[in-house]
Amino acid sequence: MVSAVAESDKWVPGPTVPAVPGLPAVPGLPAVPYADPLGDPFLRTRFVLPARPATFLRRQRLVRHLDQALRTPLTLVNGAAGAGKTLLVADWAAGREEPVAWLTVEPGDRRPGVFWAYVLQALRSRGVPASGTVGFPADPSRVDGRLLAALAAELSGRDEPVVVVLDEYDRVTAPEIAEQLEFVLHHAGQGMRLVLVTRTEPLLPLHRYRAAGRLTEIRAAELAFTPEEAVALLELHGLALPVPAGRALVDRTRGWAAGLRLCALAARESADPEIYLKEFEADRSAVADFLLAEVLLRQPEETQDLLLRVSVLERFCPDLANALTGRTDAERLLVGLHRANAFVEDLGHSWYRLHPLFGEILRAHLRVRLPGLEPELHRRAARWLRSSGFLPESLAHGAAAGDWGFTAGALVDDLAIGQLFTGLRSEDLDQLFSRMGPEAASPAAHLVRAARDLARCDLDHGLAHLHHAEEGLNADVPDASEVAAALLSCALLEALAARLTGSPVRAERAARAAGELREEVPAHLLARHPELTALLLTHLGSTRLWAGRFEDARAALTTVAGTPGDASTVLPREEAMGHLALIDYLNGWPGRAERKALAAVSEAERFSLPPPCGSGVVRLVLAAVAVDRDELGRAQALLDETDRLRRATQDPVTAAGRAIVAARLQLLRGHAGAAVEAADPAVSAAMTSPWAASHEALVASAAHLAEGRPEKAAEALRDVSVDQPACAVEAARIQLAAGRPGAAMDLLDGVHAGGRTGPAVTVRAALVRARAAQQAGDTATARRLVGHALLDARRERLRRPFLDALPWIRPLLATAPLHDLAAGWLTSGPAPRDAPPRPEARPSPLVAAELSGRERDVLERLARLMSTEEIAADLYVSVNTVKTHLKSVYRKLAVNRRGDAVRRARDLGLL
Amino acid sequence: MRYEIRVDGQLSETLAEAFPELGHVVMAGQTVLFGPVVDEAQLYGLLARCQSLGLRVVEMRQLPD
């Protein structure tokens, strides 16, 4: 089965810069809305009503009760395994005129994002919701409230209700999913009827529904067969039984459907059914245990063997079963078993599954009868599934077999390694490979390890594994095309490593290698994994941005931002849009930066990504814009949000962006020392970033100035690159304030970067010139320049530059034309707005930002009075890594010293 | 903690193998599974396993250590 995602190749090697640098096209609806949110074709079998076997007995009393389901929002069919719940509801649903969306829940759906992706797909397969406003979850562990609200609104607008059946709902254990279901159910009103088929009590407030008469309940007692029904069921199996005998049988099985069914099968195949039934009644074994063993033993040898072997599978087709038995008779046997209504259920499209109850018992038999065979069965299943294109199932069985060389190889050869970083499958994959032991030494295994480490920003280990993988790939190259997928995966990780180490040379090399390798891997694999390209280009763009090559960065990032949207690429797209926004901000276009950042936010929301997500760069751009607008409380809140992300302190670009915002906030609060400290992004990068270094130098200079050291301030400015217009202008302001108008003017005259610079630069430049003119006694020029600045700044609500100029600009702003220009947004005036808020001192946060596991490790050792070197040795990391962790611990706890950190951590109960 | 779980019916040796971490005693019409249980999560897991094997739990109790 090949992917239904028929997308064209997305690699655009050349830069595709829009003629007008502006908003990237906000991706519209997903190109293939009915594609599997997990990147594979949906297993249709999960959305179809299970077929009723020929021996199915329709019980009218239950059907009539179930008809009530149309009158109550919630229906619960609750009973033990094998109580006949699923067939009852499937039979009832098949006779309905209303649309019925059916979903058989699987264990993998326990995460909210995945669960809702499948529920939405079940609904969409019935044409509900009709419009495209609802969106798609893209983060496995969460679904956005807005998505659920949109779904509920869409459902509540329907003329006739849609019946949603969730079979095997007991596999849902997350309390938040129950809450979300209840939310949708409540707000969907008359538009939705929910039927939960489950073995266990769902975590919904059933008592409330019950009290309000809004619940239809069919429970075990009602599902149990009556003696008359038992007689009728046995009759369908060709056994005639008087009612009293039926009563005895019901007593023995407690009316349990599966028990009766097995009983009928066993009796039918015995020499004398009546005597057999009598013996069964007298027996004292556990019903299912006894009957299953009986029925199993009556099967021919090859059937028993088949049943035992397929018990390791969730579902199977004859070919897969043959792969497990090593014979070719599965089709005949399965058809026969299904016709006899024994053990297997038909899922359609010649796929089957074992009845869940029998599956468990058969696995117990397998372990006893064929001990030690399980891993081998998993291995065979993994290989068959891999060659038939079922990657996720193949990985699961490969892992169950402990065959990590195969499992890692399957992931890499499918070009699916990007799924460890983005998309609905990321958490499951990460967890799956967390069980991989160190003995797996293939290049693919090293690649997977490197990917998992790099995803956690563990550079030390990630780079080491990547190095091993590369060595392995270079060592044995029998045929280049065989390792093309591995080399391409390597290029992706190289690009990420380059990004995290701030190494543009490395990134370009990786991108070039990727460009060549793309020719050598099958096109359909590339098309199936658009996330690989999107991630790679995002890393490339981020590294170019770090190096200050804004236009080259923009070329790569724009390609990513323009990728048609689906769940697998939403994370790189969000990051690319955030980086594009950062470029605009650094070029002095806060308005544009904000629009792009907000577009990224809404795209992330549409796919239920958590705020903040990725590297957090979007939040930082919004925070930086907020500082420019003197919305300091908002800036601090956004900054705190990004601190929840581990990536935010380790990714050079984000760390530098964070340093700029944090340092400016500290400066505005008058904490010069803290500002200097905050201005250091504390990342170890291969090259210094011109803009990051310039901003750091500016903060140092401003701090000197604020503390009355103009000489040192001027000296610090020597590190500011004049290639960064925003920095050069700020440097000019400091030079002027330090009493060096000549140097200031030189700096300003040097700023001519074409059309690149935006109002945040020009406004500041105009104000510096105005101040110089004012100092020279030329008030008219000063006034004219301030007027221009006000006009430019008003649209962007750029308040900060004027507030920085407050002492000298106040008299100018009081004069007639300027007063009007500033009124309403900058100063109090006729317009409704009050004066801009003064920089307020924020109290230290009550609860410290959450510490990462590693930071906690460091903190605990700190409390044991270990030195930095000792901690490094103890944790097997470098001294620098420990220092980085210490820095983040200090920052999160808002302290500057070891002793204070330990004390504060004790106060907060962290130790 | 140690627990014992009493289920209805006599379990075959094969099915008792589905609880390799527990000992078992078969008595008249019932089987008692017993042994150490690490935490509540494992306890609920054992109950779920009983359910998916079609076993009826008649009694469950914590044993004194």
Side-chain angles (χ1 to χ4, degrees):
Chain A
M1 219 188 284
V2 183
S3 165
V5 192
E7 287 178 358
S8 62
D9 193 354
K10 299 289 174 357
W11 183 263
V12 186
T16 51
V17 190
V20 184
L23 213 60
V26 176
L29 295 174
V32 190
Y34 298 140
D36 188 330
L38 293 172
D40 273 306
F42 264 101
L43 293 157
R44 267 166 305 182
T45 51
R46 297 183 53 187
F47 302 127
V48 292
L49 299 182
R52 273 75 64 211
T55 50
F56 172 73
L57 175 72
R58 180 174 298 154
R59 296 185 281 164
Q60 284 304 334
R61 62 181 175 99
L62 294 175
V63 174
R64 272 195 304 276
H65 194 174
L66 206 45
D67 280 337
Q68 302 286 325
L70 293 175
R71 263 160 268 165
T72 58
L74 180 62
T75 298
L76 187 66
V77 181
N78 197 340
K85 307 177 293 291
T86 300
L87 290 184
L88 165 69
V89 178
D91 182 55
W92 171 81
R96 300 256 60 84
E97 283 170 15
E98 299 81 7
V100 176
W102 182 283
L103 174 64
T104 304
V105 178
E106 290 198 350
D109 306 348
R110 64 188 182 283
R111 300 181 208 275
V114 182
F115 174 82
W116 283 100
Y118 278 104
V119 170
L120 280 171
Q121 192 59 29
L123 282 164
R124 286 190 168 117
S125 68
R126 292 286 169 274
V128 188
S131 73
T133 52
V134 174
F136 250 119
D139 185 295
S141 56
R142 74 184 297 277
V143 63
D144 198 86
R146 267 161 291 215
L147 184 152
L148 299 177
L151 173 64
E154 177 92 26
L155 289 171
S156 71
R158 292 177 56 82
D159 297 333
E160 59 168 1
V162 55
V163 179
V164 179
V165 181
L166 300 178
D167 190 18
E168 301 195 25
Y169 181 76
D170 43 278
R171 287 172 159 181
V172 173
T173 48
E176 64 260 43
I177 293 184
E179 276 168 35
Q180 290 156 354
L181 259 182
E182 212 218 332
F183 171 86
V184 172
L185 188 60
H186 180 70
H187 290 92
Q190 299 291 319
M192 174 177 171
R193 296 287 175 251
L194 179 63
V195 181
L196 298 180
V197 183
T198 173
R199 288 183 195 177
T200 55
E201 198 82 351
L203 291 167
L204 290 158
L206 296 177
H207 58 282
R208 272 218 310 266
Y209 283 90
R210 206 177 283 133
R214 293 159 61 78
L215 175 67
T216 303
E217 260 179 302
I218 298 183
R219 306 184 71 100
E222 200 178 343
L223 285 167
F225 275 65
T226 64
E228 291 75 17
E229 287 167 347
V231 169
L233 180 71
L234 263 62
E235 206 175 299
L236 283 173
H237 287 80
L239 294 169
L241 210 66
V243 173
R247 181 163 295 122
L249 203 54
V250 165
D251 278 350
R252 171 79 170 105
T253 58
R254 295 177 194 269
W256 185 41
L260 288 169
R261 205 140 57 91
L262 281 172
C263 194
L265 288 171
R268 199 169 59 181
E269 283 161 28
S270 66
D272 186 336
E274 248 174 87
I275 294 178
Y276 178 84
L277 289 177
K278 284 230 156 55
E279 282 170 0
F280 168 59
E281 280 156 29
D283 190 272
R284 311 207 62 183
S285 310
V287 175
D289 181 16
F290 173 76
L291 286 174
L292 189 122
E294 287 279 294
V295 179
L296 187 64
L297 286 174
R298 284 161 201 274
Q299 302 294 330
E301 189 61 37
E302 62 269 27
T303 307
Q304 292 188 35
D305 185 60
L306 175 100
L307 284 169
L308 293 178
R309 284 169 187 253
V310 296
S311 72
V312 302
L313 297 166
E314 184 82 23
R315 59 176 90 72
F316 45 89
C317 62
D319 204 27
L320 174 53
N322 281 335
L324 261 53
T325 59
R327 300 191 308 266
T328 55
D329 53 4
E331 180 156 17
R332 179 175 59 80
L333 295 178
L334 286 171
V335 169
L337 281 170
H338 179 245
R339 199 182 308 119
N341 191 19
F343 305 105
V344 301
E345 298 174 1
D346 186 357
L347 297 169
H349 306 279
S350 59
W351 280 81
Y352 299 86
R353 68 165 187 172
L354 291 171
H355 188 287
L357 172 68
F358 306 151
E360 284 290 336
I361 303 180
L362 283 169
R363 268 192 289 284
H365 281 264
L366 171 69
R367 281 178 208 128
V368 172
R369 304 233 321 238
L370 300 166
L373 190 65
E374 255 181 292
E376 173 59 21
L377 292 174
H378 282 298
R379 193 172 295 123
R380 289 189 198 174
R383 285 185 163 66
W384 186 92
L385 289 161
R386 165 95 182 98
S387 64
S388 305
F390 296 93
L391 183 66
E393 290 83 359
S394 172
L395 297 177
H397 283 288
D403 190 346
W404 293 108
F406 168 84
T407 310
L411 184 81
V412 168
D413 288 342
D414 202 74
L415 282 188
I417 201 161
Q419 290 185 346
L420 278 165
F421 299 95
T422 173
L424 275 175
R425 194 137 36 219
S426 52
E427 286 179 23
D428 279 333
L429 278 178
D430 187 59
Q431 209 173 7
L432 184 132
F433 281 107
S434 69
R435 281 146 41 202
M436 177 162 67
E439 70 284 351
S442 68
H446 283 302
L447 280 175
V448 169
R449 283 192 196 103
R452 292 184 63 238
D453 287 336
L454 290 176
R456 283 194 306 270
C457 288
D458 181 349
L459 271 174
D460 294 346
H461 291 103
L463 293 178
H465 288 307
L466 188 54
H467 183 67
H468 287 313
E470 282 162 358
E471 274 185 340
L473 285 170
N474 291 332
D476 52 309
V477 193
D479 176 6
S481 69
E482 269 185 26
V483 290
L487 288 171
L488 188 50
S489 306
C490 224
L492 168 66
L493 299 183
E494 273 289 328
L496 173 56
R499 169 182 176 175
L500 293 176
T501 54
S503 167
V505 180
R506 193 172 190 173
E508 298 296 339
R509 197 169 52 216
R512 261 198 315 279
E516 287 163 17
L517 288 161
R518 295 174 62 84
E519 309 296 323
E520 295 178 33
V521 296
H524 71 270
L525 285 184
L526 277 174
R528 198 192 305 169
H529 294 293
E531 75 276 357
L532 183 95
T533 305
L535 287 166
L536 197 144
L537 286 178
T538 304
H539 301 330
L540 177 67
S542 178
T543 321
R544 285 174 173 175
L545 171 51
W546 173 254
R549 288 160 46 205
F550 291 174
E551 290 316 303
D552 293 342
R554 203 198 293 273
L557 295 167
T558 309
T559 309
V560 181
T563 308
D566 70 15
S568 68
T569 56
V570 62
L571 194 64
R573 276 185 291 129
E574 191 261 3
E575 279 211 57
M577 287 156 96
H579 278 78
L580 287 168
L582 180 60
I583 293 176
D584 279 338
Y585 171 78
L586 292 172
N587 280 338
W589 298 92
R592 285 181 193 172
E594 185 185 46
R595 279 196 300 279
K596 278 182 193 154
L598 290 177
V601 168
S602 80
E603 184 68 2
E605 278 171 359
R606 214 165 72 80
F607 285 93
S608 294
L609 291 183
C613 58
S615 62
V617 72
V618 169
R619 258 22 192 206
L620 288 175
V621 171
L622 290 174
V625 173
V627 172
D628 268 355
R629 293 184 176 157
D630 200 48
E631 296 159 352
L632 303 187
R634 177 173 147 76
Q636 183 65 51
L638 286 160
L639 201 60
D640 293 344
E641 274 186 43
T642 54
D643 285 353
R644 297 209 303 264
L645 290 173
R646 188 182 164 79
R647 276 290 285 285
T649 52
Q650 312 231 348
D651 187 304
V653 168
T654 323
R658 190 191 179 284
I660 294 175
V661 178
R664 291 189 65 188
L665 281 171
Q666 292 289 11
L667 275 180
L668 291 174
R669 287 184 199 128
H671 304 157
V676 172
E677 196 174 314
D680 177 7
V683 287
S684 54
M687 72 165 280
T688 45
S689 166
W691 54 272
S694 294
H695 277 281
E696 194 180 341
L698 274 179
V699 171
S701 172
H704 284 308
L705 190 66
E707 294 184 333
R709 295 186 296 269
E711 291 306 314
K712 285 205 156 181
E715 200 176 309
L717 287 178
R718 275 209 299 268
D719 295 335
V720 174
S721 156
V722 287
D723 293 340
Q724 301 294 321
C727 298
V729 170
E730 192 64 12
R733 188 179 74 86
I734 295 175
Q735 289 284 23
L736 188 63
R740 298 152 157 253
M745 287 310 119
D746 286 349
L747 276 168
L748 287 185
D749 292 340
V751 176
H752 272 298
R756 211 176 110 177
T757 56
V761 174
T762 54
V763 164
R764 285 194 171 87
L767 288 179
V768 175
R769 287 184 193 279
R771 173 61 173 154
Q774 193 196 40
Q775 282 176 337
D778 186 353
T779 316
T781 304
R783 194 177 296 141
R784 183 175 54 78
L785 286 164
V786 171
H788 280 304
L790 282 170
L791 275 174
D792 277 353
R794 191 164 57 171
R795 244 173 305 142
E796 306 261 4
R797 286 176 289 133
L798 268 175
R799 299 190 191 92
R800 199 61 243 167
F802 298 93
L803 297 175
D804 288 343
L806 256 193
W808 60 267
I809 211 172
R810 202 185 296 276
L812 289 176
L813 289 180
T815 59
L818 299 186
H819 178 266
D820 288 352
L821 283 174
W825 66 277
L826 182 59
T827 59
S828 58
R833 259 195 74 89
D834 289 329
R838 301 296 309 135
E840 73 272 44
R842 255 179 75 91
S844 66
L846 290 175
V847 181
E850 210 169 307
L851 295 183
S852 72
R854 218 48 172 162
E855 287 161 5
R856 208 177 283 262
D857 291 346
V858 171
L859 187 61
E860 277 162 16
R861 284 162 179 76
L862 209 58
R864 282 188 254 145
L865 298 176
M866 289 167 75
S867 73
T868 308
E869 286 75 11
E870 283 166 350
I871 296 175
D874 195 34
L875 292 175
Y876 299 101
V877 296
S878 72
V879 169
N880 274 334
T881 307
V882 174
K883 282 183 181 161
T884 310
H885 286 314
L886 278 177
K887 267 192 180 170
S888 357
V889 170
Y890 291 176
R891 176 172 49 71
K892 289 180 179 176
L893 298 177
V895 295
N896 296 313
R897 285 201 309 263
R898 293 172 160 239
D900 291 346
V902 173
R903 245 191 307 283
R904 176 123 178 88
R906 291 224 166 94
D907 289 346
L908 290 168
L910 295 173
L911 281 175
Chain B
M1 358 182 237
R2 291 174 56 79
Y3 271 85
E4 73 167 43
I5 302 172
R6 193 175 289 259
V7 299
D8 203 11
Q10 298 166 347
L11 284 198
S12 65
E13 283 302 311
T14 302
L15 207 64
E17 281 298 307
F19 298 91
E21 68 270 58
L22 299 181
H24 66 279
V25 182
V26 177
M27 39 185 79
Q30 287 188 337
T31 307
V32 180
L33 301 161
F34 58 89
V37 171
V38 184
D39 54 12
E40 287 219 344
Q42 196 198 351
L43 190 62
Y44 284 105
L46 287 171
L47 283 179
R49 207 181 308 162
C50 287
Q51 197 185 29
S52 59
L53 290 166
L55 298 176
R56 243 173 56 87
V57 175
V58 261
E59 190 192 342
M60 180 181 82
R61 63 189 188 103
Q62 190 174 355
L63 301 172
D65 281 315

